[in-house]
Amino acid sequence: MAVLVFAATYAACAALYAMARALLRTESGRQARAVTPALLSLLGVTFGLLVVFTGAQVWGDVDRATAAVNQEASALRAAMLLTGVFPESSATRLRSLVARQIDEEVTVEWPAMAHNQATLTAIPAALADALMAAAALEPSRPGQVAAQRELVAALTSALEARRLRILASHKQVNGLKWVGIILQALCTLGAIALVHADNRPPTVAGLGLFGTAVALCLLLLLAHDEPFIGDYSVAPTPLVNVRPR
């Protein structure tokens, strides 16, 4: 991804510089050079604002996805701790159901989220069974009554966190925003090439520096867009760590 983004950006810089040099040979191109250099600052600020607003969405989506995974893991961990006050047979069944749910999430749901195919249509069977088993427990003392209530609440919280996690897996920057960022970058690079076209060293330096900044911004946004896709995606590590052994 890095090679493609930087190569495409530098190719665009070279093409814009060649176009600006060609325009210098025409009367319209020489008149266009009258554009004030102060315009470059306005174009750069506009590009920066677009990147900031888009980055806020991207990192916000990643934070929400991470929070959902952590919430689910924490709720399941609390549920496992609460099973300790119930008879061994009931506790073993609940732990087995939670372990099965985590295994299914790691092996089935995570690959589905990586391909934007995870949906809320199917009810998680193991988690639903665990919730029904917890609700069907017959506490024999006050401590078990409170533990059952908290156990049901923890499993319900895990179910809600799973819902938020799957919803977060569909979050991404829409195409119109990408088009806007790229067009703004091209406008700024084109203005740099046009203003300094008759002086090669400053033009090459300006295009190279701003082109590198553009490529870096695009790379960071692309690498973190869609929280469960790519090398920097949200991993199921918290869930694996709380899985009953």
Side-chain angles (χ1 to χ4, degrees):
M1 184 187 295
V3 172
L4 289 175
V5 170
F6 276 87
T9 304
Y10 290 144
C13 291
L16 290 170
Y17 177 69
M19 292 172 59
R21 294 286 295 179
L23 281 174
L24 284 180
R25 303 188 187 98
T26 66
E27 182 62 28
S28 298
R30 287 189 289 271
Q31 292 178 357
R33 286 202 65 252
V35 173
T36 174
L39 181 63
L40 300 179
S41 298
L42 297 176
L43 291 172
V45 169
T46 304
F47 173 77
L49 290 175
L50 288 175
V51 170
V52 168
F53 291 140
T54 306
Q57 174 190 337
V58 169
W59 274 277
D61 292 341
V62 172
D63 289 342
R64 281 186 288 273
T66 303
V69 175
N70 290 334
Q71 177 186 341
E72 185 176 6
S74 178
L76 292 177
R77 178 61 175 170
M80 290 304 90
L81 293 175
L82 289 167
T83 59
V85 303
F86 295 101
E88 186 61 27
S89 59
S90 299
T92 300
R93 181 166 185 263
L94 286 168
R95 293 187 186 117
S96 176
L97 289 171
V98 169
R100 196 177 82 191
Q101 174 64 28
I102 292 175
D103 290 340
E104 183 176 350
E105 289 176 350
V106 174
T107 58
V108 178
E109 289 188 0
W110 242 261
M113 290 190 298
H115 294 87
N116 277 329
Q117 295 175 349
T119 66
L120 295 171
T121 304
I123 298 175
L127 190 57
D129 289 345
L131 186 58
M132 293 176 63
L137 289 173
E138 297 180 357
S140 58
R141 57 180 186 271
Q144 289 183 348
V145 173
Q148 182 188 29
R149 183 171 57 251
E150 294 299 324
L151 178 58
V152 171
L155 292 173
T156 303
S157 177
L159 193 61
E160 173 64 14
R162 174 186 175 273
R163 184 185 72 85
L164 295 176
R165 167 170 56 79
I166 292 178
L167 290 176
S169 70
H170 297 285
K171 297 292 185 179
Q172 61 181 349
V173 177
N174 63 60
L176 185 59
K177 290 182 180 179
W178 286 119
V179 170
I181 291 175
I182 292 172
L183 287 180
Q184 183 62 34
L186 291 175
C187 288
T188 307
L189 290 168
I192 293 173
L194 188 62
V195 170
H196 303 290
D198 58 344
N199 196 348
R200 179 172 295 181
T203 306
V204 172
L207 289 174
L209 290 172
F210 192 76
T212 301
V214 168
L216 182 59
C217 291
L218 292 177
L219 179 62
L220 288 174
L221 292 176
L222 286 169
H224 294 89
D225 189 22
E226 298 182 283
F228 295 94
I229 297 178
D231 293 334
Y232 300 98
S233 60
V234 179
T237 305
L239 292 169
V240 175
N241 290 338
V242 302
R243 182 189 183 279
R245 305 300 177 189

